[in-house]
Amino acid sequence: MTTYLEPRTGRSPMHGSTLMDRVGQALSIKHNNLVYEMRAAGRDVITLSLGEAFFDLKVPTFGDLEGAGADGGGGTGLHHYSHSRGLPELRAKLAGYYQDKFQVPVDPDREIIVTAGSKVAIYMVLLATLEPGDEVIIPEPFWLSYPEQVRLCRGVPVMVPQDVSIYDLHRYVTPRTRALIINNPNNPSGRVYSEAELAALHDLVHDNGMLLIADEAYNEFVPPGQPFRSCGAFDPDKEHTVTVNSMSKNYGISGWRIGYVLSHPRLMDAVLKINQHLITCAPTILCRYVAEHFDDILEHTRPQIQRVVALRNEVAGQLDALGVRTLPGSASFYLFASLGTSMLDSTAFADRLLRDSGVSVVAGLAYGESCDRYVRISVGTESPERVARGIAAVRDLIDATSPR
Ligand code: PMP
């Protein structure tokens, strides 16, 4: 049988578009799939590669929710689509959260959209704002989906090497620059931007007619006493700021798929159209649960968040004592550790560490080309003892692969 080829491209119809040739897999997810397979085969893996912290959380029951009548909610909407800007009660809670915690005024009717995770929220913002060929500045280390999402929107990601000061980002601005994306606190380094740095970024985007997209998914993971400013506080009229956040990390419910975006009503109206065509709404029953239990879930997770942040900073000290340097940072549950004198690149290092020592970390290359001398260590899902064993294995592999 001869294979049919699509006449225009000369390729099989099952071949993805040329755009897909340029978009890579999410390396961390790919790596974690390997971990799941090894575990399924009975191997004990010290997992320092997962992008979340595991909390002790109640499994929800829905019977007490508003609308869960004798008909189980069937007649009142718990099982159905809900408002495509997000359940009004949840929007009101989130607007109140940003107002109380960060003094960012948010109109819950026009300036917020709740959707199925912040990942797709960022994508929708890019889709709503980029023309083909528009450039988006992305400082390294970046959260690994930013460049691929820009590419999916037919934009051009402009990566900035990790040793470039954010005060020098203006060097990367061209007439095609449309936006700058930052992740504060940063995954993978745990860096928190200072007030002065954020003010400088706002000046940069303001002076160049750009957008500042601030991903604040880890905002609760900041050590007590350390100042954290939301980007939105610098631009209360939302003239150039888009803030993205999520219940995934702060509430420890990544599988529930609830994220949100705050910005100017004009941009939110555009994002709304995309949300209506792609998602419709975030899961209604789960949004209702979060709206009704907004404060108690956070009260329950906050002490656990603080424990994992404290562990992160203890591990930073342990790595330092072992002579393993990390990029500056204090927040989140991630550390970005230097491979020092190892002769392996980050991918080979992560592969060998997993194969030989049963310890999984994510190759730094996933977070930018200037990060190939690093690996990301997450302390969110293992006990302190197992984390200590994991980092000792990192140290040993650096030694074993360094020149004698
Ligand atoms: N932003 C950052 C920085 C993240 O680390 C993640 C998840 N790893 C997300 C966004 C996406 O989170 P979600 O889609 O679950 O809200």
Side-chain angles (χ1 to χ4, degrees), residues 353-389:
L353 190 70
L354 182 59
R355 218 182 34 227
D356 294 358
S357 313
V359 176
S360 71
V361 294
V362 182
L365 185 63
Y367 306 91
E369 281 189 8
S370 69
C371 303
D372 204 14
R373 305 290 315 147
Y374 292 83
V375 288
R376 187 189 75 172
I377 295 173
S378 163
V379 302
T381 62
E382 292 280 9
S383 67
E385 296 68 36
R386 283 170 62 86
V387 173
R389 272 169 51 201

PDB file of all heavy atoms in Angstrom, residues 353-389:
ATOM      1  N   LEU A 353      22.501  10.113  37.321  1.00  0.00           N
ATOM      2  CA  LEU A 353      22.112  10.116  38.734  1.00  0.00           C
ATOM      3  C   LEU A 353      20.889   9.213  38.943  1.00  0.00           C
ATOM      4  O   LEU A 353      20.812   8.453  39.915  1.00  0.00           O
ATOM      5  CB  LEU A 353      21.781  11.556  39.161  1.00  0.00           C
ATOM      6  CG  LEU A 353      21.581  11.807  40.641  1.00  0.00           C
ATOM      7  CD1 LEU A 353      22.907  11.680  41.401  1.00  0.00           C
ATOM      8  CD2 LEU A 353      20.994  13.206  40.889  1.00  0.00           C
ATOM      9  N   LEU A 354      19.975   9.269  38.011  1.00  0.00           N
ATOM     10  CA  LEU A 354      18.770   8.441  38.125  1.00  0.00           C
ATOM     11  C   LEU A 354      19.115   6.962  37.937  1.00  0.00           C
ATOM     12  O   LEU A 354      18.719   6.108  38.739  1.00  0.00           O
ATOM     13  CB  LEU A 354      17.741   8.899  37.069  1.00  0.00           C
ATOM     14  CG  LEU A 354      16.401   8.174  37.072  1.00  0.00           C
ATOM     15  CD1 LEU A 354      15.693   8.314  38.413  1.00  0.00           C
ATOM     16  CD2 LEU A 354      15.485   8.725  35.970  1.00  0.00           C
ATOM     17  N   ARG A 355      19.884   6.683  36.920  1.00  0.00           N
ATOM     18  CA  ARG A 355      20.206   5.289  36.592  1.00  0.00           C
ATOM     19  C   ARG A 355      21.092   4.649  37.667  1.00  0.00           C
ATOM     20  O   ARG A 355      20.808   3.562  38.165  1.00  0.00           O
ATOM     21  CB  ARG A 355      20.938   5.270  35.249  1.00  0.00           C
ATOM     22  CG  ARG A 355      20.595   4.113  34.358  1.00  0.00           C
ATOM     23  CD  ARG A 355      21.377   4.136  33.078  1.00  0.00           C
ATOM     24  NE  ARG A 355      22.728   4.681  33.277  1.00  0.00           N
ATOM     25  CZ  ARG A 355      23.300   5.597  32.506  1.00  0.00           C
ATOM     26  NH1 ARG A 355      22.691   6.055  31.491  1.00  0.00           N
ATOM     27  NH2 ARG A 355      24.522   6.044  32.744  1.00  0.00           N
ATOM     28  N   ASP A 356      22.149   5.349  38.076  1.00  0.00           N
ATOM     29  CA  ASP A 356      23.136   4.737  38.967  1.00  0.00           C
ATOM     30  C   ASP A 356      22.755   4.845  40.441  1.00  0.00           C
ATOM     31  O   ASP A 356      23.078   3.965  41.233  1.00  0.00           O
ATOM     32  CB  ASP A 356      24.513   5.387  38.785  1.00  0.00           C
ATOM     33  CG  ASP A 356      25.104   5.111  37.411  1.00  0.00           C
ATOM     34  OD1 ASP A 356      24.445   4.386  36.644  1.00  0.00           O
ATOM     35  OD2 ASP A 356      26.196   5.634  37.121  1.00  0.00           O
ATOM     36  N   SER A 357      22.113   5.969  40.823  1.00  0.00           N
ATOM     37  CA  SER A 357      21.859   6.182  42.257  1.00  0.00           C
ATOM     38  C   SER A 357      20.385   6.167  42.607  1.00  0.00           C
ATOM     39  O   SER A 357      20.033   6.289  43.784  1.00  0.00           O
ATOM     40  CB  SER A 357      22.450   7.521  42.707  1.00  0.00           C
ATOM     41  OG  SER A 357      23.747   7.667  42.230  1.00  0.00           O
ATOM     42  N   GLY A 358      19.510   6.091  41.603  1.00  0.00           N
ATOM     43  CA  GLY A 358      18.078   6.104  41.900  1.00  0.00           C
ATOM     44  C   GLY A 358      17.630   7.429  42.499  1.00  0.00           C
ATOM     45  O   GLY A 358      16.753   7.478  43.356  1.00  0.00           O
ATOM     46  N   VAL A 359      18.267   8.537  42.046  1.00  0.00           N
ATOM     47  CA  VAL A 359      17.872   9.870  42.529  1.00  0.00           C
ATOM     48  C   VAL A 359      17.485  10.697  41.302  1.00  0.00           C
ATOM     49  O   VAL A 359      18.244  10.773  40.338  1.00  0.00           O
ATOM     50  CB  VAL A 359      19.051  10.565  43.261  1.00  0.00           C
ATOM     51  CG1 VAL A 359      18.668  11.994  43.664  1.00  0.00           C
ATOM     52  CG2 VAL A 359      19.471   9.749  44.484  1.00  0.00           C
ATOM     53  N   SER A 360      16.275  11.278  41.339  1.00  0.00           N
ATOM     54  CA  SER A 360      15.865  12.040  40.160  1.00  0.00           C
ATOM     55  C   SER A 360      15.873  13.536  40.451  1.00  0.00           C
ATOM     56  O   SER A 360      15.330  13.997  41.458  1.00  0.00           O
ATOM     57  CB  SER A 360      14.482  11.600  39.682  1.00  0.00           C
ATOM     58  OG  SER A 360      13.495  12.025  40.570  1.00  0.00           O
ATOM     59  N   VAL A 361      16.534  14.269  39.556  1.00  0.00           N
ATOM     60  CA  VAL A 361      16.534  15.730  39.569  1.00  0.00           C
ATOM     61  C   VAL A 361      16.236  16.144  38.131  1.00  0.00           C
ATOM     62  O   VAL A 361      16.254  15.303  37.230  1.00  0.00           O
ATOM     63  CB  VAL A 361      17.916  16.295  40.004  1.00  0.00           C
ATOM     64  CG1 VAL A 361      18.230  15.952  41.443  1.00  0.00           C
ATOM     65  CG2 VAL A 361      19.031  15.804  39.074  1.00  0.00           C
ATOM     66  N   VAL A 362      15.948  17.428  37.906  1.00  0.00           N
ATOM     67  CA  VAL A 362      15.684  17.852  36.525  1.00  0.00           C
ATOM     68  C   VAL A 362      16.914  18.571  35.972  1.00  0.00           C
ATOM     69  O   VAL A 362      17.517  19.415  36.657  1.00  0.00           O
ATOM     70  CB  VAL A 362      14.446  18.785  36.446  1.00  0.00           C
ATOM     71  CG1 VAL A 362      14.165  19.159  34.985  1.00  0.00           C
ATOM     72  CG2 VAL A 362      13.221  18.130  37.061  1.00  0.00           C
ATOM     73  N   ALA A 363      17.290  18.230  34.740  1.00  0.00           N
ATOM     74  CA  ALA A 363      18.451  18.863  34.099  1.00  0.00           C
ATOM     75  C   ALA A 363      18.216  20.362  33.965  1.00  0.00           C
ATOM     76  O   ALA A 363      17.149  20.807  33.534  1.00  0.00           O
ATOM     77  CB  ALA A 363      18.663  18.246  32.718  1.00  0.00           C
ATOM     78  N   GLY A 364      19.242  21.135  34.310  1.00  0.00           N
ATOM     79  CA  GLY A 364      19.132  22.593  34.245  1.00  0.00           C
ATOM     80  C   GLY A 364      18.826  23.114  32.848  1.00  0.00           C
ATOM     81  O   GLY A 364      18.181  24.164  32.699  1.00  0.00           O
ATOM     82  N   LEU A 365      19.225  22.367  31.838  1.00  0.00           N
ATOM     83  CA  LEU A 365      18.988  22.798  30.460  1.00  0.00           C
ATOM     84  C   LEU A 365      17.509  23.098  30.207  1.00  0.00           C
ATOM     85  O   LEU A 365      17.174  23.950  29.383  1.00  0.00           O
ATOM     86  CB  LEU A 365      19.487  21.700  29.498  1.00  0.00           C
ATOM     87  CG  LEU A 365      19.426  22.033  28.016  1.00  0.00           C
ATOM     88  CD1 LEU A 365      20.330  23.228  27.689  1.00  0.00           C
ATOM     89  CD2 LEU A 365      19.833  20.819  27.172  1.00  0.00           C
ATOM     90  N   ALA A 366      16.641  22.409  30.941  1.00  0.00           N
ATOM     91  CA  ALA A 366      15.201  22.633  30.769  1.00  0.00           C
ATOM     92  C   ALA A 366      14.832  24.083  31.081  1.00  0.00           C
ATOM     93  O   ALA A 366      13.802  24.579  30.633  1.00  0.00           O
ATOM     94  CB  ALA A 366      14.406  21.699  31.685  1.00  0.00           C
ATOM     95  N   TYR A 367      15.683  24.777  31.848  1.00  0.00           N
ATOM     96  CA  TYR A 367      15.351  26.134  32.314  1.00  0.00           C
ATOM     97  C   TYR A 367      16.150  27.199  31.559  1.00  0.00           C
ATOM     98  O   TYR A 367      16.185  28.348  31.970  1.00  0.00           O
ATOM     99  CB  TYR A 367      15.594  26.230  33.831  1.00  0.00           C
ATOM    100  CG  TYR A 367      14.842  25.136  34.548  1.00  0.00           C
ATOM    101  CD1 TYR A 367      15.432  23.900  34.809  1.00  0.00           C
ATOM    102  CD2 TYR A 367      13.509  25.317  34.885  1.00  0.00           C
ATOM    103  CE1 TYR A 367      14.717  22.876  35.397  1.00  0.00           C
ATOM    104  CE2 TYR A 367      12.787  24.295  35.479  1.00  0.00           C
ATOM    105  CZ  TYR A 367      13.398  23.082  35.729  1.00  0.00           C
ATOM    106  OH  TYR A 367      12.677  22.069  36.308  1.00  0.00           O
ATOM    107  N   GLY A 368      16.808  26.771  30.474  1.00  0.00           N
ATOM    108  CA  GLY A 368      17.527  27.724  29.636  1.00  0.00           C
ATOM    109  C   GLY A 368      18.909  27.223  29.292  1.00  0.00           C
ATOM    110  O   GLY A 368      19.516  26.470  30.047  1.00  0.00           O
ATOM    111  N   GLU A 369      19.383  27.666  28.126  1.00  0.00           N
ATOM    112  CA  GLU A 369      20.689  27.173  27.645  1.00  0.00           C
ATOM    113  C   GLU A 369      21.825  27.597  28.552  1.00  0.00           C
ATOM    114  O   GLU A 369      22.840  26.909  28.645  1.00  0.00           O
ATOM    115  CB  GLU A 369      20.929  27.656  26.223  1.00  0.00           C
ATOM    116  CG  GLU A 369      20.159  26.790  25.257  1.00  0.00           C
ATOM    117  CD  GLU A 369      20.484  27.033  23.800  1.00  0.00           C
ATOM    118  OE1 GLU A 369      21.429  27.791  23.509  1.00  0.00           O
ATOM    119  OE2 GLU A 369      19.764  26.453  22.977  1.00  0.00           O
ATOM    120  N   SER A 370      21.660  28.720  29.246  1.00  0.00           N
ATOM    121  CA  SER A 370      22.737  29.166  30.136  1.00  0.00           C
ATOM    122  C   SER A 370      22.719  28.385  31.451  1.00  0.00           C
ATOM    123  O   SER A 370      23.509  28.672  32.346  1.00  0.00           O
ATOM    124  CB  SER A 370      22.622  30.665  30.421  1.00  0.00           C
ATOM    125  OG  SER A 370      21.473  30.926  31.216  1.00  0.00           O
ATOM    126  N   CYS A 371      21.807  27.411  31.562  1.00  0.00           N
ATOM    127  CA  CYS A 371      21.638  26.685  32.831  1.00  0.00           C
ATOM    128  C   CYS A 371      22.074  25.232  32.725  1.00  0.00           C
ATOM    129  O   CYS A 371      21.687  24.399  33.558  1.00  0.00           O
ATOM    130  CB  CYS A 371      20.180  26.769  33.279  1.00  0.00           C
ATOM    131  SG  CYS A 371      19.604  28.460  33.453  1.00  0.00           S
ATOM    132  N   ASP A 372      22.879  24.932  31.719  1.00  0.00           N
ATOM    133  CA  ASP A 372      23.273  23.531  31.503  1.00  0.00           C
ATOM    134  C   ASP A 372      24.321  23.055  32.508  1.00  0.00           C
ATOM    135  O   ASP A 372      24.709  21.893  32.499  1.00  0.00           O
ATOM    136  CB  ASP A 372      23.788  23.370  30.054  1.00  0.00           C
ATOM    137  CG  ASP A 372      23.668  21.937  29.567  1.00  0.00           C
ATOM    138  OD1 ASP A 372      22.958  21.142  30.217  1.00  0.00           O
ATOM    139  OD2 ASP A 372      24.288  21.618  28.530  1.00  0.00           O
ATOM    140  N   ARG A 373      24.774  23.969  33.380  1.00  0.00           N
ATOM    141  CA  ARG A 373      25.718  23.565  34.433  1.00  0.00           C
ATOM    142  C   ARG A 373      24.990  23.434  35.774  1.00  0.00           C
ATOM    143  O   ARG A 373      25.605  23.516  36.828  1.00  0.00           O
ATOM    144  CB  ARG A 373      26.851  24.597  34.583  1.00  0.00           C
ATOM    145  CG  ARG A 373      27.634  24.912  33.319  1.00  0.00           C
ATOM    146  CD  ARG A 373      28.514  23.769  32.849  1.00  0.00           C
ATOM    147  NE  ARG A 373      29.232  23.180  33.957  1.00  0.00           N
ATOM    148  CZ  ARG A 373      29.550  21.883  34.021  1.00  0.00           C
ATOM    149  NH1 ARG A 373      29.217  21.061  33.042  1.00  0.00           N
ATOM    150  NH2 ARG A 373      30.203  21.408  35.057  1.00  0.00           N
ATOM    151  N   TYR A 374      23.662  23.270  35.727  1.00  0.00           N
ATOM    152  CA  TYR A 374      22.858  23.208  36.960  1.00  0.00           C
ATOM    153  C   TYR A 374      21.872  22.051  36.886  1.00  0.00           C
ATOM    154  O   TYR A 374      21.549  21.571  35.799  1.00  0.00           O
ATOM    155  CB  TYR A 374      22.044  24.504  37.139  1.00  0.00           C
ATOM    156  CG  TYR A 374      22.888  25.718  37.424  1.00  0.00           C
ATOM    157  CD1 TYR A 374      23.497  26.413  36.384  1.00  0.00           C
ATOM    158  CD2 TYR A 374      23.100  26.157  38.722  1.00  0.00           C
ATOM    159  CE1 TYR A 374      24.298  27.524  36.637  1.00  0.00           C
ATOM    160  CE2 TYR A 374      23.894  27.275  38.990  1.00  0.00           C
ATOM    161  CZ  TYR A 374      24.487  27.942  37.943  1.00  0.00           C
ATOM    162  OH  TYR A 374      25.273  29.034  38.199  1.00  0.00           O
ATOM    163  N   VAL A 375      21.391  21.640  38.045  1.00  0.00           N
ATOM    164  CA  VAL A 375      20.218  20.752  38.091  1.00  0.00           C
ATOM    165  C   VAL A 375      19.232  21.344  39.102  1.00  0.00           C
ATOM    166  O   VAL A 375      19.627  22.019  40.051  1.00  0.00           O
ATOM    167  CB  VAL A 375      20.571  19.294  38.510  1.00  0.00           C
ATOM    168  CG1 VAL A 375      21.322  18.576  37.402  1.00  0.00           C
ATOM    169  CG2 VAL A 375      21.331  19.242  39.832  1.00  0.00           C
ATOM    170  N   ARG A 376      17.938  21.060  38.854  1.00  0.00           N
ATOM    171  CA  ARG A 376      16.933  21.531  39.811  1.00  0.00           C
ATOM    172  C   ARG A 376      16.632  20.415  40.810  1.00  0.00           C
ATOM    173  O   ARG A 376      16.341  19.283  40.438  1.00  0.00           O
ATOM    174  CB  ARG A 376      15.638  21.932  39.119  1.00  0.00           C
ATOM    175  CG  ARG A 376      14.670  22.584  40.109  1.00  0.00           C
ATOM    176  CD  ARG A 376      13.289  22.811  39.530  1.00  0.00           C
ATOM    177  NE  ARG A 376      12.517  21.583  39.433  1.00  0.00           N
ATOM    178  CZ  ARG A 376      11.232  21.533  39.095  1.00  0.00           C
ATOM    179  NH1 ARG A 376      10.577  22.651  38.802  1.00  0.00           N
ATOM    180  NH2 ARG A 376      10.594  20.376  39.025  1.00  0.00           N
ATOM    181  N   ILE A 377      16.694  20.797  42.087  1.00  0.00           N
ATOM    182  CA  ILE A 377      16.394  19.871  43.174  1.00  0.00           C
ATOM    183  C   ILE A 377      15.118  20.368  43.843  1.00  0.00           C
ATOM    184  O   ILE A 377      15.061  21.514  44.298  1.00  0.00           O
ATOM    185  CB  ILE A 377      17.554  19.855  44.185  1.00  0.00           C
ATOM    186  CG1 ILE A 377      18.813  19.294  43.515  1.00  0.00           C
ATOM    187  CG2 ILE A 377      17.184  19.064  45.437  1.00  0.00           C
ATOM    188  CD1 ILE A 377      20.070  19.394  44.385  1.00  0.00           C
ATOM    189  N   SER A 378      14.093  19.518  43.902  1.00  0.00           N
ATOM    190  CA  SER A 378      12.858  19.888  44.600  1.00  0.00           C
ATOM    191  C   SER A 378      12.779  19.093  45.898  1.00  0.00           C
ATOM    192  O   SER A 378      12.974  17.874  45.897  1.00  0.00           O
ATOM    193  CB  SER A 378      11.654  19.540  43.720  1.00  0.00           C
ATOM    194  OG  SER A 378      10.480  19.521  44.507  1.00  0.00           O
ATOM    195  N   VAL A 379      12.481  19.790  47.000  1.00  0.00           N
ATOM    196  CA  VAL A 379      12.415  19.083  48.282  1.00  0.00           C
ATOM    197  C   VAL A 379      10.958  18.949  48.748  1.00  0.00           C
ATOM    198  O   VAL A 379      10.689  18.727  49.923  1.00  0.00           O
ATOM    199  CB  VAL A 379      13.270  19.783  49.374  1.00  0.00           C
ATOM    200  CG1 VAL A 379      14.714  19.872  48.916  1.00  0.00           C
ATOM    201  CG2 VAL A 379      12.743  21.180  49.699  1.00  0.00           C
ATOM    202  N   GLY A 380      10.031  19.063  47.788  1.00  0.00           N
ATOM    203  CA  GLY A 380       8.617  19.110  48.154  1.00  0.00           C
ATOM    204  C   GLY A 380       7.959  17.775  48.462  1.00  0.00           C
ATOM    205  O   GLY A 380       6.877  17.750  49.052  1.00  0.00           O
ATOM    206  N   THR A 381       8.575  16.674  48.065  1.00  0.00           N
ATOM    207  CA  THR A 381       7.834  15.411  48.173  1.00  0.00           C
ATOM    208  C   THR A 381       8.571  14.296  48.912  1.00  0.00           C
ATOM    209  O   THR A 381       8.077  13.178  48.979  1.00  0.00           O
ATOM    210  CB  THR A 381       7.457  14.884  46.758  1.00  0.00           C
ATOM    211  OG1 THR A 381       8.659  14.632  46.033  1.00  0.00           O
ATOM    212  CG2 THR A 381       6.615  15.894  46.001  1.00  0.00           C
ATOM    213  N   GLU A 382       9.757  14.596  49.438  1.00  0.00           N
ATOM    214  CA  GLU A 382      10.510  13.541  50.128  1.00  0.00           C
ATOM    215  C   GLU A 382      10.818  13.968  51.570  1.00  0.00           C
ATOM    216  O   GLU A 382      10.833  15.157  51.885  1.00  0.00           O
ATOM    217  CB  GLU A 382      11.833  13.255  49.407  1.00  0.00           C
ATOM    218  CG  GLU A 382      11.684  12.615  48.026  1.00  0.00           C
ATOM    219  CD  GLU A 382      11.431  11.101  48.080  1.00  0.00           C
ATOM    220  OE1 GLU A 382      11.193  10.549  49.182  1.00  0.00           O
ATOM    221  OE2 GLU A 382      11.477  10.476  47.001  1.00  0.00           O
ATOM    222  N   SER A 383      11.120  12.983  52.442  1.00  0.00           N
ATOM    223  CA  SER A 383      11.459  13.305  53.831  1.00  0.00           C
ATOM    224  C   SER A 383      12.848  13.954  53.873  1.00  0.00           C
ATOM    225  O   SER A 383      13.669  13.753  52.959  1.00  0.00           O
ATOM    226  CB  SER A 383      11.498  12.010  54.658  1.00  0.00           C
ATOM    227  OG  SER A 383      12.588  11.215  54.217  1.00  0.00           O
ATOM    228  N   PRO A 384      13.137  14.732  54.938  1.00  0.00           N
ATOM    229  CA  PRO A 384      14.471  15.351  55.040  1.00  0.00           C
ATOM    230  C   PRO A 384      15.589  14.319  54.937  1.00  0.00           C
ATOM    231  O   PRO A 384      16.635  14.585  54.329  1.00  0.00           O
ATOM    232  CB  PRO A 384      14.447  15.995  56.436  1.00  0.00           C
ATOM    233  CG  PRO A 384      13.001  16.263  56.705  1.00  0.00           C
ATOM    234  CD  PRO A 384      12.240  15.159  56.022  1.00  0.00           C
ATOM    235  N   GLU A 385      15.375  13.104  55.490  1.00  0.00           N
ATOM    236  CA  GLU A 385      16.433  12.076  55.449  1.00  0.00           C
ATOM    237  C   GLU A 385      16.701  11.652  54.007  1.00  0.00           C
ATOM    238  O   GLU A 385      17.847  11.514  53.585  1.00  0.00           O
ATOM    239  CB  GLU A 385      16.024  10.837  56.262  1.00  0.00           C
ATOM    240  CG  GLU A 385      15.846  11.074  57.752  1.00  0.00           C
ATOM    241  CD  GLU A 385      14.645  11.963  58.106  1.00  0.00           C
ATOM    242  OE1 GLU A 385      13.593  11.852  57.414  1.00  0.00           O
ATOM    243  OE2 GLU A 385      14.753  12.781  59.041  1.00  0.00           O
ATOM    244  N   ARG A 386      15.630  11.451  53.263  1.00  0.00           N
ATOM    245  CA  ARG A 386      15.825  11.006  51.873  1.00  0.00           C
ATOM    246  C   ARG A 386      16.382  12.143  51.016  1.00  0.00           C
ATOM    247  O   ARG A 386      17.188  11.910  50.113  1.00  0.00           O
ATOM    248  CB  ARG A 386      14.513  10.448  51.299  1.00  0.00           C
ATOM    249  CG  ARG A 386      14.250   9.026  51.829  1.00  0.00           C
ATOM    250  CD  ARG A 386      12.865   8.537  51.478  1.00  0.00           C
ATOM    251  NE  ARG A 386      12.594   8.416  50.044  1.00  0.00           N
ATOM    252  CZ  ARG A 386      12.872   7.348  49.288  1.00  0.00           C
ATOM    253  NH1 ARG A 386      13.435   6.282  49.844  1.00  0.00           N
ATOM    254  NH2 ARG A 386      12.559   7.324  48.009  1.00  0.00           N
ATOM    255  N   VAL A 387      15.977  13.391  51.316  1.00  0.00           N
ATOM    256  CA  VAL A 387      16.561  14.517  50.585  1.00  0.00           C
ATOM    257  C   VAL A 387      18.070  14.543  50.843  1.00  0.00           C
ATOM    258  O   VAL A 387      18.869  14.706  49.914  1.00  0.00           O
ATOM    259  CB  VAL A 387      15.925  15.862  51.004  1.00  0.00           C
ATOM    260  CG1 VAL A 387      16.673  17.028  50.361  1.00  0.00           C
ATOM    261  CG2 VAL A 387      14.440  15.915  50.629  1.00  0.00           C
ATOM    262  N   ALA A 388      18.464  14.330  52.121  1.00  0.00           N
ATOM    263  CA  ALA A 388      19.898  14.356  52.462  1.00  0.00           C
ATOM    264  C   ALA A 388      20.642  13.263  51.692  1.00  0.00           C
ATOM    265  O   ALA A 388      21.754  13.493  51.182  1.00  0.00           O
ATOM    266  CB  ALA A 388      20.077  14.187  53.971  1.00  0.00           C
ATOM    267  N   ARG A 389      20.026  12.085  51.578  1.00  0.00           N
ATOM    268  CA  ARG A 389      20.672  11.011  50.787  1.00  0.00           C
ATOM    269  C   ARG A 389      20.782  11.422  49.327  1.00  0.00           C
ATOM    270  O   ARG A 389      21.785  11.155  48.658  1.00  0.00           O
ATOM    271  CB  ARG A 389      19.865   9.718  50.912  1.00  0.00           C
ATOM    272  CG  ARG A 389      20.312   8.887  52.117  1.00  0.00           C
ATOM    273  CD  ARG A 389      19.365   7.745  52.419  1.00  0.00           C
ATOM    274  NE  ARG A 389      19.043   6.915  51.278  1.00  0.00           N
ATOM    275  CZ  ARG A 389      17.967   6.125  51.192  1.00  0.00           C
ATOM    276  NH1 ARG A 389      17.115   6.076  52.206  1.00  0.00           N
ATOM    277  NH2 ARG A 389      17.748   5.387  50.131  1.00  0.00           N
TER     278      ARG A 389
END
